[in-house]
Amino acid sequence: MCTLAAAERMLATGKFYSAGTLAAELGISATSASGKLSNIRSSKKYQCVVTPLPNRKVKVVAINGKSVSKQSMWDLVLFKRPLPQGVHA
């Protein structure tokens, strides 16, 4: 799984993730999840909220300036499911 796919999942859920919780949700190792969180925190492509150490957690709020995940947009277009609370297309 690539970092973008992990970030998309994080954006879609709107939750804060530690390496352990991200690993459990995505079915990958905690080491791999930690690397993805590090990439997300350090890349200008992803806008995120980061809690302080210890027990750092990361929440993705936008990817390339877009605050709606691709999956949420597809759900809106194909199935007329509403966007998450506080999000406007």
Side-chain angles (χ1 to χ4, degrees):
M1 170 170 281
C2 68
T3 301
L4 178 59
E8 279 283 344
R9 176 68 183 160
M10 293 171 68
L11 180 61
T13 64
K15 297 189 298 188
F16 279 90
Y17 287 92
S18 65
T21 56
L22 184 62
E25 187 159 319
L26 299 179
I28 59 177
S29 71
T31 305
S32 179
S34 178
K36 291 181 187 341
L37 289 175
S38 177
N39 291 343
I40 290 168
R41 285 192 337 264
S42 63
S43 175
K44 292 180 181 178
K45 180 178 184 175
Y46 308 106
Q47 292 78 45
C48 54
V49 177
V50 181
T51 63
L53 288 172
N55 302 322
R56 175 181 285 157
K57 293 186 179 185
V58 179
K59 176 181 177 180
V60 174
V61 293
I63 300 173
N64 286 329
K66 297 176 184 155
S67 61
V68 179
S69 71
K70 289 181 183 179
Q71 185 61 50
S72 294
M73 291 302 287
W74 279 114
D75 287 347
L76 173 68
V77 171
L78 296 175
F79 308 113
K80 300 192 187 325
R81 292 184 184 142
L83 291 174
Q85 284 283 340
V87 176
H88 304 288

